Amino acid sequence: MSGSAERKLIVAIDGPSGAGKSTVTRALADRLGYINIDTGAMFRAVALMARRGGIDPEDENALGKLCTGLDIDFDRSDGCCRVLVNGEDVSTAIRTPEISLLTSVVSAKKVVRDYLLALQRRMGERGGVVLEGRDIGTVVFPTAQVKFFLTASVEERGRRRFEELRAKGASVTLEQTIVEVEQRDRQDLQRTIAPLRRADDAIDIDSTSLTLDEVLEKMEAVVRAKAGRQ
Ligand code: DC
């Protein structure tokens, strides 16, 4: 299908951790010829730099200073999407369980959210983007033309995260991974700033028993229908 007559839209994909957002976002962006923006990776990058700088995650002042000195970007030159902080590729370093938990704390801080909100809007405002996160459809781009809320059961999300970590050689147990997913769900849902919330006009997709292709077919059809319409 030709993309030339289609409008370049802003597509928001929100949902809890482990629902498959990263894989789905990347593959959907590929199908559409859009770029993908992993906003979770941006929060993770801030958390990593806070840890390296010995910054107390409760110290908003210090976090603010840290943010102003950061240059966060994505390198898509090898077809994938590497996360760069001040030119350094931190794609692997931001994916440890320790940084995952720290990110959940740091991402609840207003100063961090404000800094990344501005950056995310700059990256996405021209359209032709698929952004994934927790508050894309509600806060970052409430006027996004297409919004999806991607979920899966907690057990399935824990199992997926466990497989992912094991493939990377991490020594974790399935039970421990499910507990961590539940813990992050609680933190993401209960925080006062930009909690994980489904936008009223989001389309729900439960991926528990769907294949990746089935999820993508559904999403692509929605975006194409919307993009072809003026
Ligand atoms: O999607 P992820 O697992 O990489 O996200 C890491 C953390 O960042 C997670 O605890 C939720 C938080 N996050 C957020 O608060 N807002 C976003 N837009 C994206 C992620």
Side-chain angles (χ1 to χ4, degrees):
M1 224 186 290
S2 160
S4 56
E6 294 182 348
R7 290 182 302 157
K8 292 279 188 188
L9 307 183
I10 296 176
V11 179
I13 302 184
D14 290 305
S17 53
K21 291 192 303 296
S22 296
T23 311
V24 165
T25 301
R26 219 173 303 148
L28 181 65
D30 268 1
R31 282 183 175 218
L32 295 166
Y34 284 17
I35 62 164
N36 72 298
I37 298 176
D38 175 356
T39 64
M42 299 165 86
F43 284 99
R44 287 170 179 273
V46 173
L48 175 72
M49 298 314 272
R51 167 54 47 95
R52 282 191 186 168
I55 291 171
D56 175 356
E58 297 300 334
D59 184 346
E60 295 229 15
N61 254 339
L63 284 173
K65 275 201 201 111
L66 172 75
C67 285
T68 55
L70 294 183
D71 174 18
I72 300 176
D73 207 352
F74 294 100
D75 173 10
R76 297 185 173 80
S77 55
D78 64 357
C80 182
C81 197
R82 317 296 303 169
V83 188
L84 304 181
V85 181
N86 300 338
E88 179 194 345
D89 183 348
V90 296
S91 311
T92 307
I94 60 173
R95 301 281 164 199
T96 64
E98 186 202 359
I99 294 300
S100 296
L101 281 178
L102 184 63
T103 306
S104 203
V105 179
V106 163
S107 64
K109 302 296 177 238
K110 184 173 183 331
V111 69
V112 174
R113 297 211 77 86
D114 286 349
Y115 163 73
L116 289 181
L117 176 66
L119 187 54
Q120 288 157 11
R121 284 186 175 156
R122 272 203 305 282
M123 287 179 169
E125 66 194 356
R126 282 197 296 271
V129 285
V130 186
L131 296 108
E132 61 151 305
R134 302 294 190 286
D135 62 338
I136 307 300
T138 52
V139 177
V140 184
F141 285 111
T143 56
Q145 294 91 345
V146 182
K147 300 176 187 178
F148 294 108
F149 197 75
L150 186 65
T151 55
S153 70
V154 102
E155 293 76 19
E156 177 63 13
R157 289 187 286 124
R159 195 194 57 75
R160 289 177 192 171
R161 188 67 94 198
F162 172 68
E163 298 295 344
E164 223 174 81
L165 291 170
R166 253 210 339 196
K168 286 179 192 151
S171 66
V172 288
T173 66
L174 176 59
E175 292 70 28
Q176 181 192 337
T177 312
I178 291 176
V179 168
E180 276 172 15
V181 168
E182 284 172 334
Q183 196 175 341
R184 286 173 64 201
D185 275 2
R186 263 196 306 279
Q187 284 173 354
D188 294 345
L189 284 164
Q190 288 169 2
R191 67 179 180 218
T192 45
I193 299 172
L196 170 61
R197 197 163 54 77
R198 179 190 172 283
D200 292 340
D201 51 349
I203 297 166
D204 288 301
I205 299 194
D206 184 337
S207 73
T208 307
S209 50
L210 293 177
T211 65
L212 173 62
D213 267 346
E214 287 168 337
V215 171
L216 291 170
E217 289 297 323
K218 276 179 191 256
M219 290 184 164
E220 188 181 355
V222 173
V223 179
R224 297 256 182 224
K226 196 82 173 197
R229 232 182 275 152
Q230 292 304 316

